[in-house]
Amino acid sequence: MKILVCVKRIPAPGTRIVLTPDEQEIDVRLLGFDVSPHEECAVEEAVRLVEKHGGESTVLTLGPDAASEQLRYAMAQGIDNAILLETDGGDWDAQATARAIASAVANRSFDLLLFGNESADAAGYQVGVRVAHFLGLPCICGVKELSVAGGVLTARRPVGNAWEVYETPLPALVTVKEGINYPRYPSLPGKLRAKKKPIERIQPEHRPGGLQKVRLVVPMAQEKSVQILGHGPEAAPRVVELLHELRLVQR
Amino acid sequence: MILTFVEHENGRVSKLSLETLAFCRELAGQMAAPLEAVLVGQEAQGLAEEVAAFGVSRVHLAQHPRLSNYAPVAWAACVGQAAEMLGARAVVAAGSEHGNEVMAHLAAQADAPLAVNCIAVQAGEEFLVTRLRWGGSLLEEARLTGAPKLLTVAPHSHEATPVAAPIPCTLETFIPDLNERDLAVQVIGREQASGDKLSLTDARLVIGGGRGVGSSEGFAVLEELAGLLGGVVGCSRAVTSAGWRPHSDQIGQTGARIAPDLYIACGVSGAIQHMVGAGGSKRILAINIDPQAQIVARADYAVIGDLHEVVPAISAAVRQAQRG
């Protein structure tokens, strides 16, 4: 199988979000970076599928040179190849992102393209679907379980209290959600190998779409003054009083 | 006119679609346009009355023998054809699992922009939306171009309020033009989730554990308290990443969104993504050894101390109270 997995480099904001003075971006000066959670699991899924079925995998990201960090991490987890669609690091909207990815992979005959269902930051829920349309591929979204047999992919997706089951012949595009698997930690030999692997670099054309960011706003946190019920085990009776007030315990 | 894609299940309109109709009434008012709805599928026949109570003047039912199982591209084709046939100026759906997907396919087909999870809209000279980033921890104000405007409405951002006086509503059916490709991806089976365990998202009381719990075994004291109170145990992403609890227990932006009467957060730091999941809680009690932990600032009540001592003490006090 020839598998492509697309990831996004996102900041890890901790417990507060702080914006740049121009209100256009998150202030990332003190922040580390991760791969968006759904996509971490997409990477793991790609590695597992190649382990099971043979073939090769490629990780792709649209982002600045620093996003090589995320590509190397994925390769350390077991992905074979990496492609960087290199930008200056600014926000690309979903249409622009999808156009660039589709152009880059159009003639590479991947059997399966894996995306996260939505990125943790912009959360547009649409890049994977748009790429599928550009490439003329069937698309299944929100997948938490998948398997491949005889060139056919079977997928399960939770919706409300039920699981929907889908099937499609390959080639196909699937967007997955965290929980589909538990991503492995990269091994030390994996990390050393990844350091030496080449990253294919492409300069994508930026064709902005029609959803134009004006500014970002941190929503007002509700003013709460926390009531300290006590310290240590001695607080237990006050907690039970609270539970009683909230009708969560009978007396 | 404004066209709302309305979802339904088991003979009722979905709650999120009702919230979306309330949002669309505002938008229709701003655009001085009537509000109409499109529904897909055989069972949609009986739902016109329910939809009419929300200020919809015309309901369009897409009917076709091949429209029995959900097929996202076919559903998008129905909505798109209705929008084109009727000259819709905006097409809106709920930001639900299917809603976001159908609108994404519609937008992709037309290579048109789509604003997902909007909480506000301002239809003036420019069409401005406020939409959610980071699960709602950050808002984006953006200009949405294109015609018609395509958007989905953030779940629980609007009350599902019906109109004071229902207006006359007519029902029309149409047969969409569908091809095999539209139907290639469709639901071929459905499995109900096992109903025995009370789900995190429905529970009135949730007891969550974070990194401070220390191990899988450490959750035993939380399970004990949950058992006494009829609550459900959840956890943070740090816990699932460490392999102490399964992903199905995870509360957060990429896990479950809970809305209990009380969320007791034990040894949880209060990272943004976790608070996205816990934000629907009516009240939060934080049990944490660190009075400066962010969760304490976001909580209604706190006990400062070691959860491994505090939680068993609460269980003992609850047992005593229940013995009465």
Side-chain angles (χ1 to χ4, degrees):
Chain A
M1 286 186 74
K2 204 172 157 203
I3 305 181
L4 176 76
V5 51
C6 292
V7 302
K8 185 175 184 184
R9 168 182 165 90
I10 58 161
T15 54
R16 283 196 328 135
I17 292 187
V18 176
L19 297 178
T20 52
D22 65 2
E23 299 175 308
Q24 295 299 302
E25 309 285 350
I26 293 180
D27 186 339
V28 298
R29 282 172 304 166
L30 299 175
L31 301 182
F33 288 82
D34 284 327
V35 167
S36 187
H38 294 319
E39 291 138 49
E40 258 210 84
C41 290
V43 169
E44 174 66 26
E45 200 65 18
V47 173
R48 290 186 189 194
L49 285 166
V50 172
E51 279 172 349
K52 186 160 187 210
H53 300 281
E56 62 171 84
S57 56
T58 301
V59 61
L60 178 151
T61 195
L62 180 114
D65 175 61
S68 310
E69 179 192 5
Q70 279 62 49
L71 297 177
R72 294 210 186 278
Y73 190 86
M75 288 196 282
Q77 287 171 306
I79 300 287
D80 301 299
N81 313 302
I83 301 174
L84 174 66
L85 303 186
E86 193 167 355
T87 69
D88 63 2
D91 227 357
W92 279 40
D93 64 69
Q95 281 176 284
T97 303
R99 286 164 177 162
I101 295 175
S103 295
V105 309
N107 299 312
R108 300 194 189 222
S109 41
F110 288 105
D111 300 301
L112 179 61
L113 288 75
L114 294 174
F115 284 72
N117 196 66
E118 81 276 1
S119 64
D121 55 354
Y125 291 79
Q126 58 191 266
V127 170
V129 172
R130 290 187 187 271
V131 173
H133 276 262
F134 282 132
L135 301 179
L137 293 174
C139 176
I140 305 177
C141 291
V143 172
K144 277 209 162 172
E145 206 180 289
L146 73 83
S147 59
V148 176
V152 174
L153 182 144
T154 305
R156 287 172 84 236
R157 166 204 203 170
V159 177
N161 287 327
W163 286 83
E164 292 178 341
V165 183
Y166 296 80
E167 234 175 49
T168 180
L170 299 178
L173 188 149
V174 173
T175 78
V176 306
K177 286 196 174 178
E178 188 187 55
I180 188 173
N181 56 43
Y182 297 94
R184 67 195 66 191
Y185 287 104
S187 64
L188 187 53
K191 286 190 191 168
L192 295 172
R193 269 197 304 271
K195 263 183 130 160
K196 301 195 198 107
K197 285 194 169 183
I199 293 177
E200 182 185 343
R201 281 162 196 268
I202 298 177
Q203 309 301 316
E205 199 190 326
H206 188 188
R207 288 174 286 159
L211 181 65
Q212 302 159 352
K213 175 178 67 176
V214 171
R215 65 176 187 141
L216 301 178
V217 177
V218 177
M220 291 290 301
Q222 299 166 275
E223 283 302 305
K224 273 194 194 193
S225 55
V226 63
Q227 215 185 314
I228 308 286
L229 298 180
H231 291 72
E234 297 91 66
R238 272 294 286 124
V239 174
V240 174
E241 262 176 52
L242 171 67
L243 293 171
H244 181 64
E245 261 170 56
L246 299 177
R247 300 189 207 290
L248 290 164
V249 74
Q250 258 57 357
R251 225 174 233 173
Chain B
M1 52 76 111
I2 311 302
L3 183 65
T4 310
F5 164 54
V6 170
E7 295 173 67
H8 55 95
E9 198 180 22
N10 300 325
R12 299 299 311 267
V13 173
S14 80
K15 173 117 192 298
L16 293 184
S17 287
L18 295 178
E19 293 174 9
T20 302
L21 284 170
F23 171 97
C24 287
R25 264 206 320 274
E26 272 174 50
L27 176 59
Q30 285 186 34
M31 295 177 85
L35 176 58
E36 302 187 17
V38 57
L39 284 83
V40 182
Q42 306 292 107
E43 328 76 62
Q45 281 280 359
L47 301 169
E49 210 178 294
E50 213 182 330
V51 166
F54 280 75
V56 172
S57 54
R58 266 199 307 176
V59 172
H60 305 274
L61 292 181
Q63 309 260 267
H64 189 292
R66 302 288 300 280
L67 284 175
S68 42
N69 299 323
Y70 174 67
V73 179
W75 258 239
C78 293
V79 175
Q81 286 172 28
E84 197 174 324
M85 176 169 79
L86 304 163
R89 290 164 60 198
V91 183
V92 186
S96 61
E97 192 73 24
H98 285 177
N100 285 330
E101 182 179 35
V102 168
M103 293 303 291
H105 280 283
L106 181 58
Q109 229 143 35
D111 197 7
L114 166 65
V116 158
N117 283 336
C118 296
I119 58 168
V121 66
Q122 206 185 306
E125 237 180 75
E126 291 187 317
F127 195 94
L128 300 171
V129 300
T130 304
R131 57 173 299 273
L132 304 184
R133 288 196 176 200
W134 287 100
S137 303
L138 184 63
L139 304 178
E140 171 187 356
E141 289 176 5
R143 199 177 295 116
L144 178 59
T145 65
K149 305 295 178 199
L150 305 177
L151 46 144
T152 72
V153 178
H156 317 305
S157 62
H158 286 73
E159 292 288 331
T161 32
V163 282
I167 59 172
C169 177
T170 54
L171 182 66
E172 295 176 12
T173 58
F174 71 101
I175 302 172
D177 184 13
L178 299 176
N179 58 45
E180 283 309 317
R181 277 193 71 169
D182 295 331
L183 294 155
V185 171
Q186 60 173 275
V187 174
I188 59 164
R190 276 184 96 88
E191 295 155 21
Q192 281 302 119
S194 53
D196 50 336
K197 183 181 164 190
L198 179 62
S199 89
L200 257 182
T201 50
D202 297 325
R204 277 190 67 214
L205 170 70
V206 174
I207 305 182
R211 199 189 300 274
V213 177
S215 66
S216 166
E217 295 74 33
F219 274 83
V221 297
L222 274 68
E223 295 277 13
E224 184 191 7
L225 182 58
L228 289 172
L229 297 171
V232 177
V233 172
C235 67
S236 68
R237 187 163 181 257
V239 167
T240 47
S241 296
W244 301 339
R245 303 285 293 193
H247 187 270
S248 49
D249 285 357
Q250 184 175 313
I251 297 162
Q253 187 177 341
T254 50
R257 310 283 172 104
I258 61 172
D261 293 343
L262 179 66
Y263 173 45
I264 305 179
C266 309
V268 169
S269 66
I272 296 184
Q273 295 92 324
H274 185 76
M275 297 316 294
V276 167
S281 310
K282 293 205 181 67
R283 286 191 176 70
I284 299 176
L285 161 63
I287 300 177
N288 206 296
I289 207 154
D290 177 7
Q292 306 296 337
Q294 181 69 9
I295 186 99
V296 174
R298 298 282 301 268
D300 300 279
Y301 315 96
V303 173
I304 307 304
D306 183 348
L307 67 100
H308 297 102
E309 292 173 9
V310 173
V311 175
I314 298 172
S315 292
V318 167
R319 274 202 187 86
Q320 195 152 41
Q322 286 174 336
R323 266 198 289 270

